[in-house]
């Protein structure tokens, strides 16, 4: 049971859209990622996805509206809902999702990471 310092963990990497696992919670991964620019349209058929903004501002585009998440705020995207995250400036996010969740859903893309690093 070690305390995890988020600033220290975020300081260990600089690339965007490449989540790192920092903890396990039951059958869930707690992941950190730095994001900037646009991600891809995707959905997760079997899993909800929790986004927590630590620093910056994250926009999540849905087919009928866009939600904006500020530091200290979170948003749950329900399973099966198509969405596309984007950030105008570098944004630090925390994700909590089942261990089997691929961050690009069923879409295979250059941004898809098959083996997540653990920090």
């Amino acid at each position: 049971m070690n305390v995890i310092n988020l600033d220290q963990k975020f300081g260990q990497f600089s690339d965007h859209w490449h989540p790192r696992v920092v903890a396990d919670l039951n059958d869930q991964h707690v992941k950190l990622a730095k994001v900037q620019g646009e991600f891809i349209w995707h959905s997760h058929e079997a899993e909800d996805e929790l986004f927590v903004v630590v620093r910056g501002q994250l926009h999540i585009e849905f087919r009928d509206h866009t939600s904006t998440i500020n530091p200290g705020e979170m948003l749950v995207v329900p399973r099966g809902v198509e969405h596309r995250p984007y950030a105008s400036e570098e944004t630090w996010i925390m994700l909590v999702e089942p261990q089997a969740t691929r961050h690009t859903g069923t879409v295979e893309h250059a941004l898809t990471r098959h083996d997540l690093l653990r920090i």
Side-chain angles (χ1 to χ4, degrees), residues 20-67:
R20 269 55 172 205
V21 177
V22 294
D24 296 307
L25 175 70
N26 299 313
D27 295 329
Q28 308 281 314
H29 277 321
V30 179
K31 303 174 186 176
L32 300 181
K34 291 180 179 177
V35 300
Q36 186 171 9
E38 295 179 351
F39 200 55
I40 59 170
W41 281 101
H42 68 286
S43 64
H44 305 277
E45 295 307 315
E47 308 96 7
D48 300 330
E49 190 171 23
L50 171 68
F51 292 89
V52 179
V53 172
V54 176
R55 181 180 293 175
Q57 186 177 66
L58 182 68
H59 307 281
I60 300 189
E61 191 173 10
F62 300 98
R63 292 299 182 182
D64 62 347
H65 73 284
T66 299
S67 293

Side-chain angles (χ1 to χ4, degrees), residues 54-117:
V54 176
R55 181 180 293 175
Q57 186 177 66
L58 182 68
H59 307 281
I60 300 189
E61 191 173 10
F62 300 98
R63 292 299 182 182
D64 62 347
H65 73 284
T66 299
S67 293
T68 299
I69 314 165
N70 293 299
E73 296 179 338
M74 61 184 236
L75 175 76
V76 174
V77 177
R79 66 193 66 179
V81 174
E82 195 174 24
H83 59 287
R84 182 179 68 130
Y86 67 92
S88 301
E89 60 185 38
E90 183 173 86
T91 297
W92 296 3
I93 62 173
M94 182 168 34
L95 303 142
V96 179
E97 52 198 14
Q99 293 176 4
T101 301
R102 288 182 39 189
H103 70 292
T104 58
T106 57
V107 176
E108 185 65 32
H109 189 273
L111 293 172
T112 302
R113 304 288 187 217
H114 295 284
D115 297 312
L116 297 182
L117 298 175

